[in-house]
Amino acid sequence: MERTEPQFKLRLPQHLKADLEHAAQKGHRSLSAEIIARLEKSFGRAPGSEASSWAAAEIFERVIDRDLRFIDTLELGKIGNVVRLRPRMSTHEAVDQLLVCLATLENITSVTLAVRDGYANYSALSVVFHTEETTLVADSTPLTVERPPRESEVRDLIWALDIRGLLGGATRFRTQRIPQTSDLPEQQAAEAIEGGELTPLGYKTLPEFLALFHEKPVSYSREELDRFFAD
């Protein structure tokens, strides 16, 4: 049977669509080809990337299977300042929202992760993306590692950060848990998430980061990390 490529509908701000059309015309390719080329470029693995067990194509498939309409609300390219991402109450939707940001945002300068007090669970993850133009705050995600399958969603995010070349310096995490920030204005929330001691997130510091999610002390051995990253 002939393999067909998955399709999806994407709503874009008019100015962004015009920019893409101009770039496509300049590059002598279709609008779809231009979007695909930019997504593939954004997932180009950086030298030293360690996420060898997860291909960029798998992230791309995850992204295009989701409803991307929330990107329209961000007005990418001209939002400026600080924007809070709409909360996604399921772990699958929440991580896919973050994957879409990693797929579509150019010029990501830094990422900050923080473990906060959860709602239904003991812990949850907050994320701040910085680009050259804006800051995106995701402080209502239900992502945690307290039990599968939520654990795998955090794993997917870490893999995606690695594929974008953002681990080992550009991505940092708070070394202490933080309270919830969703009731604060966007700018204050970003400052609260990033206002304490930060450590670069890499595979060597990952055990320290993951341990913050647990109510009781947990030491991640090499075997436990292998299980965490198992397919």
Side-chain angles (χ1 to χ4, degrees):
M1 181 180 296
E2 183 179 357
R3 186 177 182 270
T4 59
E5 298 296 332
Q7 299 182 6
F8 69 100
K9 294 181 179 180
L10 176 61
R11 293 175 56 194
L12 295 171
Q14 186 60 42
H15 75 281
L16 183 57
K17 182 174 182 289
D19 289 344
L20 285 168
E21 288 174 337
H22 177 73
Q25 184 179 17
K26 187 176 180 180
H28 303 287
R29 53 190 174 192
S30 68
L31 179 61
S32 294
E34 181 68 27
I35 293 173
I36 290 172
R38 287 173 176 268
L39 286 170
E40 288 178 338
K41 181 181 179 181
S42 73
F43 282 126
R45 292 185 59 196
S49 173
E50 300 183 45
S52 57
S53 61
W54 215 47
E58 296 183 46
I59 296 180
F60 182 76
E61 290 179 4
R62 286 283 299 277
V63 168
I64 62 179
D65 282 341
R66 304 303 302 172
D67 181 357
L68 309 187
R69 286 179 294 175
F70 83 93
I71 285 291
D72 187 38
T73 68
L74 297 181
E75 297 183 350
L76 294 179
K78 66 174 185 180
I79 48 180
N81 300 322
V82 184
V83 176
R84 175 175 274 125
L85 298 180
R86 292 181 178 178
R88 293 294 188 262
M89 297 313 295
S90 78
T91 56
H92 188 78
E93 289 180 332
V95 75
D96 280 353
Q97 185 183 56
L98 297 176
L99 293 183
V100 168
C101 289
L102 286 171
T104 57
L105 292 174
E106 297 182 357
N107 304 318
I108 297 177
T109 57
S110 67
V111 180
T112 301
L113 308 180
V115 179
R116 71 173 193 276
D117 297 335
Y119 298 104
N121 299 289
Y122 176 67
S123 299
L125 180 67
S126 292
V127 183
V128 177
F129 291 109
H130 287 288
T131 74
E132 293 179 357
E133 297 82 18
T134 192
T135 297
L136 301 181
V137 179
D139 58 354
S140 297
T141 80
L143 299 179
T144 185
V145 302
E146 293 174 68
R147 62 181 185 276
R150 293 178 175 87
E151 182 175 88
S152 65
E153 308 294 353
V154 174
R155 176 201 66 184
D156 291 354
L157 176 62
I158 292 170
W159 267 332
L161 288 166
D162 189 10
I163 290 172
R164 274 299 303 266
L166 294 170
L167 289 188
T171 299
R172 306 166 300 168
F173 70 95
R174 283 286 299 270
T175 58
Q176 301 292 328
R177 290 169 56 90
I178 66 171
Q180 295 178 17
T181 60
S182 58
D183 59 337
L184 298 175
E186 289 87 345
Q187 180 67 48
Q188 292 183 27
E191 293 173 354
I193 292 170
E194 299 183 303
E197 182 180 352
L198 298 172
T199 293
L201 180 64
Y203 288 96
K204 291 184 178 180
T205 58
L206 186 58
E208 178 185 352
F209 170 66
L210 295 177
L212 295 171
F213 285 90
H214 298 280
E215 186 172 6
K216 297 180 180 180
V218 173
S219 177
Y220 277 81
S221 64
R222 178 67 188 183
E223 291 74 19
E224 288 169 328
L225 284 178
D226 287 342
R227 285 195 296 270
F228 180 80
F229 284 107
D231 291 328

